[in-house]
Amino acid sequence: MELGDGIHPTIDAAVAAARRAFNSYSEMGLETRRTLVDSMRSAMLREGERLAYMAAEETGIGRAEDKVVKNRLVTTKTPGPEDLEPQVVTGDAGMMITEYAPYGVIGSITPTTNPTSTIINNSIAMVSAGNAVVFNVHPNASLVSVENVKLLNRAIVAAGGPSDLVTAIPHPTLDSARDVMNHPDIPVLLVTGGPGVVKEALKTSKKAITAGPGNPPAVVDQTADVEAAGRDIVRGASFDNNVICTDEKTTIVVDSVADRLVQSMTANGAYRLKDHELKRLERVIFRETGPPNKPGMVNPDLIGKSAGRILSEIGINVDDDVRLVVAEVPREHNLVWTEQMMPVMPVVRVNNVDDAIDLAVRSEHGFRHTASIHSTNVDTITRMARAMNCSIFVANGPNFSGLGEGGEGFTSFSIASPTGEGLSRPRHFSRARRVSVVGALRIV
Ligand code: NAD
């Protein structure tokens, strides 16, 4: 693999290059910053589709056409330098202004599930805040990640910026991730991944913004538009074959509308498993099922595979338009408690919506990541949103609308639930700086 365009042989070399790039970037002014970010977005609009197909091919995870959507989403809806608008207060005592300063070189660790969308999102957010970044990407996605970093570098240089604002190494490992986490010239970490890497980052002495795992429950109550709920849950849960941390992973439905919900799911691209088929599927999707009410250990070879591919493991052949496998299960079933990252959706019937919300809170394990409800009762929506207290809560839509895809608002692919930032954005990669002028500069 060729070095250059932001790719360096070691973390030390990448950090040194990023540090030099940061120093010259700091001299360049805000107009240049805006131009660079525009150029990064244009390049990713041109190249996002190719990167999406490369990512699906290299990792064997997810659906290429959904990765195209993810790349377009982060390219267009990650906030830019405008996120750093200064805040001003004036009054009898004078004037106070808060501005946002860069940290320098940020270390970012990225997942295999969203390799390119995380790199595009993190790069735009960090460079918008005036920083440089060193990526340690997932080893299983290193080819596409290197290509992505090179393209971003070229876009920055083409717009008059310094080389090496966005850097990486060609052969990342767990050791090189630790090198990033402990490097003296990296003051801040952004870590996106499972519980192991989040724990490692929080053990360091650095400021760490951590985007960890989730297990999003979707509740459907008796007041919901049940047909729409079934359609939305299938679309949301099957998005990129369920690998996105925000995708619906469990459905909890009030008994009186459960039959209609499952009918709507099957009418919208779900295959409903019979009980004996579920027994067979459990044996292939879990390495260990584990005790009731606890997560099991999934078979990593099936993470992010399509519904058709997973069903073929138990001898069931379905058409390509089947996007999701649905199975009715009791609440203690391991599928309910596991972040499976496969398009296999457990559906649990409960007596009433209070019971549903209670199970949703418990099966989310306190990650406070993402949850959703389908209901037309605003009191119930409010009650569940409060009980979940998650980074993202969606009412009456697929969960990807909470990422800004078909919903309002900006996007992020690093949703920092353990450390509380929620959807990360440029101002999270900035130091807040206050200037107070006493007794003057209120001009009215
Ligand atoms: P993963 O934890 O296996 O890997 C993530 C990154 O961390 C990789 O670069 C990996 O090399 C590195 N890593 C893993 N263990 C490490 C350790 N002990 N020390 C140092 N580095 C380590 O996760 P994955 O399979 O790539 O991604 C899926 C997981 O990430 C899921 O749990 C998902 O919910 C979560 N995720 C969360 C968000 C979010 O925004 N909150 C976004 C994407 C993925």
Side-chain angles (χ1 to χ4, degrees):
M1 194 179 294
E2 280 195 39
L3 301 176
D5 288 327
I7 306 303
H8 297 270
T10 62
I11 291 296
D12 272 345
V15 174
R19 184 80 220 169
R20 284 192 297 275
F22 169 71
N23 287 341
S24 41
Y25 189 37
S26 302
E27 303 293 313
M28 287 179 167
L30 274 183
E31 201 45 49
T32 308
R33 201 187 284 190
R34 286 190 272 268
T35 311
L36 298 197
V37 173
D38 287 348
S39 179
M40 293 164 80
R41 291 194 207 273
S42 305
M44 292 302 106
L45 279 180
R46 280 194 310 273
E47 300 281 0
E49 180 167 345
R50 184 169 71 85
L51 289 169
Y53 277 82
M54 269 183 84
E57 166 98 29
E58 183 181 1
T59 61
I61 286 178
R63 304 168 72 94
E65 63 275 23
D66 292 348
K67 291 186 186 292
V68 174
V69 174
K70 295 195 313 186
N71 283 352
R72 194 178 55 228
L73 173 64
V74 290
T75 299
T76 54
K77 292 189 106 177
T78 299
E82 74 287 349
D83 196 43
L84 308 181
E85 271 299 288
Q87 330 256 289
V88 182
V89 178
T90 66
D92 294 342
M95 184 208 64
M96 182 282 285
I97 181 166
T98 303
E99 290 189 324
Y100 295 96
Y103 277 103
V105 180
I106 298 180
S108 173
I109 297 189
T110 57
T112 183
T113 46
N114 315 313
T116 53
S117 27
T118 310
I119 290 176
I120 298 168
N121 165 258
N122 290 181
S123 299
I124 290 177
M126 291 169 182
V127 171
S128 290
N131 302 286
V133 49
V134 175
F135 283 105
N136 198 79
V137 304
H138 197 289
N140 295 352
S142 60
L143 289 175
V144 69
S145 302
V146 161
E147 176 69 3
N148 200 158
V149 165
K150 287 183 169 186
L151 290 166
L152 287 167
N153 255 280
R154 286 184 205 138
I156 290 169
V157 172
S163 187
D164 296 318
L165 269 187
V166 180
T167 62
I169 58 169
H171 304 295
T173 60
L174 288 186
D175 282 342
S176 62
R178 288 191 198 101
D179 291 345
V180 168
M181 287 189 193
N182 297 303
H183 201 288
D185 289 337
I186 292 183
V188 178
L189 300 171
L190 173 61
V191 167
T192 309
V197 69
V198 165
K199 201 167 155 201
E200 285 294 316
L202 292 175
K203 276 198 269 180
T204 70
S205 54
K206 297 183 192 307
K207 175 186 168 91
I209 299 175
T210 60
N215 192 34
V219 164
V220 182
D221 82 359
Q222 68 284 2
T223 72
D225 177 340
V226 179
E227 273 65 45
R231 181 199 64 211
D232 288 349
I233 292 172
V234 172
R235 287 172 67 213
S238 64
F239 189 44
D240 210 15
N241 286 340
N242 197 251
V243 295
I244 307 175
C245 53
T246 52
D247 284 345
E248 293 87 340
K249 300 222 165 22
T250 303
T251 299
I252 306 168
V253 55
V254 171
D255 193 34
S256 57
V257 293
D259 289 339
R260 275 171 53 219
L261 181 75
V262 175
Q263 265 164 26
S264 167
M265 292 169 102
T266 52
N268 285 284
Y271 176 88
R272 183 183 184 175
L273 284 176
K274 301 176 186 71
D275 282 349
H276 69 277
E277 294 171 334
L278 173 63
K279 290 272 170 306
R280 272 161 43 217
L281 197 75
E282 283 164 14
R283 286 198 284 274
V284 300
I285 62 178
F286 283 111
R287 283 265 165 89
E288 281 171 37
T289 45
N293 301 309
K294 293 274 184 244
M297 197 188 292
V298 295
N299 174 358
D301 299 338
L302 292 182
I303 288 177
K305 298 295 186 260
S306 67
R309 165 70 211 291
I310 291 172
L311 286 173
S312 74
E313 293 281 323
I314 56 166
I316 297 175
N317 294 314
V318 293
D319 293 341
D320 281 350
D321 55 4
V322 169
R323 292 184 64 102
L324 189 70
V325 179
V326 170
E328 283 203 43
V329 298
R331 64 182 64 204
E332 64 276 8
H333 194 281
N334 302 102
L335 266 176
V336 174
W337 304 82
T338 308
E339 188 195 28
Q340 64 270 32
M341 294 192 284
M342 296 174 200
V344 178
M345 172 59 81
V347 177
V348 182
R349 288 174 190 250
V350 293
N351 288 331
N352 55 53
V353 75
D354 292 335
D355 196 7
I357 294 174
D358 179 60
L359 178 60
V361 169
R362 288 188 297 115
S363 66
E364 212 264 331
H365 304 294
F367 292 138
R368 304 198 186 289
H369 193 302
T370 299
S372 59
I373 190 167
H374 296 265
S375 170
T376 54
N377 183 326
V378 287
D379 293 336
T380 307
I381 296 172
T382 309
R383 193 145 44 88
M384 180 167 169
R386 286 191 182 149
M388 298 303 306
N389 191 12
C390 281
S391 297
I392 298 179
F393 187 75
V394 177
N396 299 326
N399 280 4
F400 55 68
S401 37
L403 291 173
E405 178 64 32
E408 290 301 327
F410 71 93
T411 202
S412 172
F413 264 59
S414 293
I415 296 133
S417 301
T419 46
E421 291 81 358
L423 288 93
S424 56
R425 56 196 296 180
R427 67 180 70 155
H428 296 138
F429 307 113
S430 309
R431 303 176 198 268
R433 292 290 176 254
R434 170 185 285 205
V435 173
S436 217
V437 178
V438 181
L441 287 187
R442 179 172 164 84
I443 59 167
V444 290

mmCIF file with all atom_site columns, all heavy atoms in Angstrom, residues 55-69:
data_model
loop_
_atom_site.group_PDB
_atom_site.id
_atom_site.type_symbol
_atom_site.label_atom_id
_atom_site.label_alt_id
_atom_site.label_comp_id
_atom_site.label_asym_id
_atom_site.label_entity_id
_atom_site.label_seq_id
_atom_site.pdbx_PDB_ins_code
_atom_site.Cartn_x
_atom_site.Cartn_y
_atom_site.Cartn_z
_atom_site.occupancy
_atom_site.B_iso_or_equiv
_atom_site.pdbx_formal_charge
_atom_site.auth_seq_id
_atom_site.auth_comp_id
_atom_site.auth_asym_id
_atom_site.auth_atom_id
_atom_site.pdbx_PDB_model_num
ATOM 1   N N   . ALA A 1 55 ? -16.405 -0.578 0.888  1.00 0.00 ? 55 ALA A N   1
ATOM 2   C CA  . ALA A 1 55 ? -16.545 -0.941 2.313  1.00 0.00 ? 55 ALA A CA  1
ATOM 3   C C   . ALA A 1 55 ? -17.327 -2.246 2.448  1.00 0.00 ? 55 ALA A C   1
ATOM 4   O O   . ALA A 1 55 ? -16.944 -3.143 3.215  1.00 0.00 ? 55 ALA A O   1
ATOM 5   C CB  . ALA A 1 55 ? -17.231 0.181  3.081  1.00 0.00 ? 55 ALA A CB  1
ATOM 6   N N   . ALA A 1 56 ? -18.418 -2.369 1.692  1.00 0.00 ? 56 ALA A N   1
ATOM 7   C CA  . ALA A 1 56 ? -19.223 -3.589 1.775  1.00 0.00 ? 56 ALA A CA  1
ATOM 8   C C   . ALA A 1 56 ? -18.409 -4.788 1.319  1.00 0.00 ? 56 ALA A C   1
ATOM 9   O O   . ALA A 1 56 ? -18.433 -5.865 1.926  1.00 0.00 ? 56 ALA A O   1
ATOM 10  C CB  . ALA A 1 56 ? -20.487 -3.439 0.938  1.00 0.00 ? 56 ALA A CB  1
ATOM 11  N N   . GLU A 1 57 ? -17.644 -4.589 0.260  1.00 0.00 ? 57 GLU A N   1
ATOM 12  C CA  . GLU A 1 57 ? -16.828 -5.679 -0.296 1.00 0.00 ? 57 GLU A CA  1
ATOM 13  C C   . GLU A 1 57 ? -15.723 -6.101 0.693  1.00 0.00 ? 57 GLU A C   1
ATOM 14  O O   . GLU A 1 57 ? -15.539 -7.280 0.982  1.00 0.00 ? 57 GLU A O   1
ATOM 15  C CB  . GLU A 1 57 ? -16.220 -5.150 -1.603 1.00 0.00 ? 57 GLU A CB  1
ATOM 16  C CG  . GLU A 1 57 ? -15.099 -5.974 -2.160 1.00 0.00 ? 57 GLU A CG  1
ATOM 17  C CD  . GLU A 1 57 ? -15.585 -6.916 -3.249 1.00 0.00 ? 57 GLU A CD  1
ATOM 18  O OE1 . GLU A 1 57 ? -16.569 -6.555 -3.914 1.00 0.00 ? 57 GLU A OE1 1
ATOM 19  O OE2 . GLU A 1 57 ? -14.991 -7.999 -3.391 1.00 0.00 ? 57 GLU A OE2 1
ATOM 20  N N   . GLU A 1 58 ? -15.020 -5.118 1.243  1.00 0.00 ? 58 GLU A N   1
ATOM 21  C CA  . GLU A 1 58 ? -13.873 -5.462 2.105  1.00 0.00 ? 58 GLU A CA  1
ATOM 22  C C   . GLU A 1 58 ? -14.309 -6.078 3.436  1.00 0.00 ? 58 GLU A C   1
ATOM 23  O O   . GLU A 1 58 ? -13.718 -7.045 3.905  1.00 0.00 ? 58 GLU A O   1
ATOM 24  C CB  . GLU A 1 58 ? -13.012 -4.209 2.385  1.00 0.00 ? 58 GLU A CB  1
ATOM 25  C CG  . GLU A 1 58 ? -11.778 -4.548 3.219  1.00 0.00 ? 58 GLU A CG  1
ATOM 26  C CD  . GLU A 1 58 ? -10.909 -3.329 3.530  1.00 0.00 ? 58 GLU A CD  1
ATOM 27  O OE1 . GLU A 1 58 ? -11.249 -2.200 3.124  1.00 0.00 ? 58 GLU A OE1 1
ATOM 28  O OE2 . GLU A 1 58 ? -9.887  -3.531 4.212  1.00 0.00 ? 58 GLU A OE2 1
ATOM 29  N N   . THR A 1 59 ? -15.359 -5.510 4.026  1.00 0.00 ? 59 THR A N   1
ATOM 30  C CA  . THR A 1 59 ? -15.757 -5.985 5.361  1.00 0.00 ? 59 THR A CA  1
ATOM 31  C C   . THR A 1 59 ? -16.716 -7.171 5.283  1.00 0.00 ? 59 THR A C   1
ATOM 32  O O   . THR A 1 59 ? -16.845 -7.915 6.256  1.00 0.00 ? 59 THR A O   1
ATOM 33  C CB  . THR A 1 59 ? -16.460 -4.865 6.164  1.00 0.00 ? 59 THR A CB  1
ATOM 34  O OG1 . THR A 1 59 ? -17.649 -4.475 5.460  1.00 0.00 ? 59 THR A OG1 1
ATOM 35  C CG2 . THR A 1 59 ? -15.562 -3.658 6.357  1.00 0.00 ? 59 THR A CG2 1
ATOM 36  N N   . GLY A 1 60 ? -17.426 -7.318 4.158  1.00 0.00 ? 60 GLY A N   1
ATOM 37  C CA  . GLY A 1 60 ? -18.450 -8.362 4.066  1.00 0.00 ? 60 GLY A CA  1
ATOM 38  C C   . GLY A 1 60 ? -19.637 -8.076 4.968  1.00 0.00 ? 60 GLY A C   1
ATOM 39  O O   . GLY A 1 60 ? -20.438 -8.953 5.285  1.00 0.00 ? 60 GLY A O   1
ATOM 40  N N   . ILE A 1 61 ? -19.770 -6.814 5.379  1.00 0.00 ? 61 ILE A N   1
ATOM 41  C CA  . ILE A 1 61 ? -20.819 -6.419 6.337  1.00 0.00 ? 61 ILE A CA  1
ATOM 42  C C   . ILE A 1 61 ? -21.747 -5.405 5.679  1.00 0.00 ? 61 ILE A C   1
ATOM 43  O O   . ILE A 1 61 ? -21.276 -4.463 5.044  1.00 0.00 ? 61 ILE A O   1
ATOM 44  C CB  . ILE A 1 61 ? -20.157 -5.789 7.586  1.00 0.00 ? 61 ILE A CB  1
ATOM 45  C CG1 . ILE A 1 61 ? -19.504 -6.867 8.444  1.00 0.00 ? 61 ILE A CG1 1
ATOM 46  C CG2 . ILE A 1 61 ? -21.144 -4.988 8.399  1.00 0.00 ? 61 ILE A CG2 1
ATOM 47  C CD1 . ILE A 1 61 ? -18.794 -6.307 9.654  1.00 0.00 ? 61 ILE A CD1 1
ATOM 48  N N   . GLY A 1 62 ? -23.051 -5.604 5.841  1.00 0.00 ? 62 GLY A N   1
ATOM 49  C CA  . GLY A 1 62 ? -24.024 -4.580 5.465  1.00 0.00 ? 62 GLY A CA  1
ATOM 50  C C   . GLY A 1 62 ? -24.425 -4.629 4.003  1.00 0.00 ? 62 GLY A C   1
ATOM 51  O O   . GLY A 1 62 ? -24.088 -5.559 3.261  1.00 0.00 ? 62 GLY A O   1
ATOM 52  N N   . ARG A 1 63 ? -25.206 -3.616 3.593  1.00 0.00 ? 63 ARG A N   1
ATOM 53  C CA  . ARG A 1 63 ? -25.733 -3.529 2.223  1.00 0.00 ? 63 ARG A CA  1
ATOM 54  C C   . ARG A 1 63 ? -25.103 -2.311 1.561  1.00 0.00 ? 63 ARG A C   1
ATOM 55  O O   . ARG A 1 63 ? -25.246 -1.182 2.059  1.00 0.00 ? 63 ARG A O   1
ATOM 56  C CB  . ARG A 1 63 ? -27.251 -3.323 2.251  1.00 0.00 ? 63 ARG A CB  1
ATOM 57  C CG  . ARG A 1 63 ? -28.017 -4.394 3.018  1.00 0.00 ? 63 ARG A CG  1
ATOM 58  C CD  . ARG A 1 63 ? -29.455 -3.963 3.236  1.00 0.00 ? 63 ARG A CD  1
ATOM 59  N NE  . ARG A 1 63 ? -30.213 -4.015 2.010  1.00 0.00 ? 63 ARG A NE  1
ATOM 60  C CZ  . ARG A 1 63 ? -30.952 -5.062 1.639  1.00 0.00 ? 63 ARG A CZ  1
ATOM 61  N NH1 . ARG A 1 63 ? -31.050 -6.128 2.405  1.00 0.00 ? 63 ARG A NH1 1
ATOM 62  N NH2 . ARG A 1 63 ? -31.603 -5.032 0.501  1.00 0.00 ? 63 ARG A NH2 1
ATOM 63  N N   . ALA A 1 64 ? -24.445 -2.546 0.421  1.00 0.00 ? 64 ALA A N   1
ATOM 64  C CA  . ALA A 1 64 ? -23.713 -1.448 -0.233 1.00 0.00 ? 64 ALA A CA  1
ATOM 65  C C   . ALA A 1 64 ? -24.634 -0.259 -0.505 1.00 0.00 ? 64 ALA A C   1
ATOM 66  O O   . ALA A 1 64 ? -24.261 0.894  -0.269 1.00 0.00 ? 64 ALA A O   1
ATOM 67  C CB  . ALA A 1 64 ? -23.080 -1.952 -1.516 1.00 0.00 ? 64 ALA A CB  1
ATOM 68  N N   . GLU A 1 65 ? -25.861 -0.532 -0.967 1.00 0.00 ? 65 GLU A N   1
ATOM 69  C CA  . GLU A 1 65 ? -26.731 0.602  -1.337 1.00 0.00 ? 65 GLU A CA  1
ATOM 70  C C   . GLU A 1 65 ? -27.135 1.418  -0.100 1.00 0.00 ? 65 GLU A C   1
ATOM 71  O O   . GLU A 1 65 ? -27.349 2.626  -0.192 1.00 0.00 ? 65 GLU A O   1
ATOM 72  C CB  . GLU A 1 65 ? -27.958 0.134  -2.136 1.00 0.00 ? 65 GLU A CB  1
ATOM 73  C CG  . GLU A 1 65 ? -28.929 -0.793 -1.420 1.00 0.00 ? 65 GLU A CG  1
ATOM 74  C CD  . GLU A 1 65 ? -28.534 -2.278 -1.483 1.00 0.00 ? 65 GLU A CD  1
ATOM 75  O OE1 . GLU A 1 65 ? -27.335 -2.598 -1.673 1.00 0.00 ? 65 GLU A OE1 1
ATOM 76  O OE2 . GLU A 1 65 ? -29.430 -3.126 -1.304 1.00 0.00 ? 65 GLU A OE2 1
ATOM 77  N N   . ASP A 1 66 ? -27.202 0.776  1.062  1.00 0.00 ? 66 ASP A N   1
ATOM 78  C CA  . ASP A 1 66 ? -27.485 1.529  2.292  1.00 0.00 ? 66 ASP A CA  1
ATOM 79  C C   . ASP A 1 66 ? -26.248 2.317  2.733  1.00 0.00 ? 66 ASP A C   1
ATOM 80  O O   . ASP A 1 66 ? -26.356 3.409  3.305  1.00 0.00 ? 66 ASP A O   1
ATOM 81  C CB  . ASP A 1 66 ? -27.928 0.587  3.416  1.00 0.00 ? 66 ASP A CB  1
ATOM 82  C CG  . ASP A 1 66 ? -29.296 -0.027 3.135  1.00 0.00 ? 66 ASP A CG  1
ATOM 83  O OD1 . ASP A 1 66 ? -29.980 0.439  2.201  1.00 0.00 ? 66 ASP A OD1 1
ATOM 84  O OD2 . ASP A 1 66 ? -29.685 -0.975 3.856  1.00 0.00 ? 66 ASP A OD2 1
ATOM 85  N N   . LYS A 1 67 ? -25.081 1.768  2.466  1.00 0.00 ? 67 LYS A N   1
ATOM 86  C CA  . LYS A 1 67 ? -23.847 2.501  2.805  1.00 0.00 ? 67 LYS A CA  1
ATOM 87  C C   . LYS A 1 67 ? -23.712 3.749  1.933  1.00 0.00 ? 67 LYS A C   1
ATOM 88  O O   . LYS A 1 67 ? -23.142 4.749  2.359  1.00 0.00 ? 67 LYS A O   1
ATOM 89  C CB  . LYS A 1 67 ? -22.620 1.591  2.662  1.00 0.00 ? 67 LYS A CB  1
ATOM 90  C CG  . LYS A 1 67 ? -22.590 0.489  3.735  1.00 0.00 ? 67 LYS A CG  1
ATOM 91  C CD  . LYS A 1 67 ? -21.308 -0.309 3.672  1.00 0.00 ? 67 LYS A CD  1
ATOM 92  C CE  . LYS A 1 67 ? -21.312 -1.498 4.611  1.00 0.00 ? 67 LYS A CE  1
ATOM 93  N NZ  . LYS A 1 67 ? -21.299 -1.153 6.033  1.00 0.00 ? 67 LYS A NZ  1
ATOM 94  N N   . VAL A 1 68 ? -24.252 3.680  0.706  1.00 0.00 ? 68 VAL A N   1
ATOM 95  C CA  . VAL A 1 68 ? -24.267 4.882  -0.151 1.00 0.00 ? 68 VAL A CA  1
ATOM 96  C C   . VAL A 1 68 ? -25.106 5.967  0.547  1.00 0.00 ? 68 VAL A C   1
ATOM 97  O O   . VAL A 1 68 ? -24.702 7.130  0.635  1.00 0.00 ? 68 VAL A O   1
ATOM 98  C CB  . VAL A 1 68 ? -24.865 4.554  -1.544 1.00 0.00 ? 68 VAL A CB  1
ATOM 99  C CG1 . VAL A 1 68 ? -25.018 5.833  -2.370 1.00 0.00 ? 68 VAL A CG1 1
ATOM 100 C CG2 . VAL A 1 68 ? -24.011 3.532  -2.283 1.00 0.00 ? 68 VAL A CG2 1
ATOM 101 N N   . VAL A 1 69 ? -26.256 5.563  1.064  1.00 0.00 ? 69 VAL A N   1
ATOM 102 C CA  . VAL A 1 69 ? -27.133 6.521  1.767  1.00 0.00 ? 69 VAL A CA  1
ATOM 103 C C   . VAL A 1 69 ? -26.415 7.105  2.986  1.00 0.00 ? 69 VAL A C   1
ATOM 104 O O   . VAL A 1 69 ? -26.447 8.316  3.241  1.00 0.00 ? 69 VAL A O   1
ATOM 105 C CB  . VAL A 1 69 ? -28.446 5.820  2.199  1.00 0.00 ? 69 VAL A CB  1
ATOM 106 C CG1 . VAL A 1 69 ? -29.307 6.748  3.059  1.00 0.00 ? 69 VAL A CG1 1
ATOM 107 C CG2 . VAL A 1 69 ? -29.223 5.335  0.984  1.00 0.00 ? 69 VAL A CG2 1
#
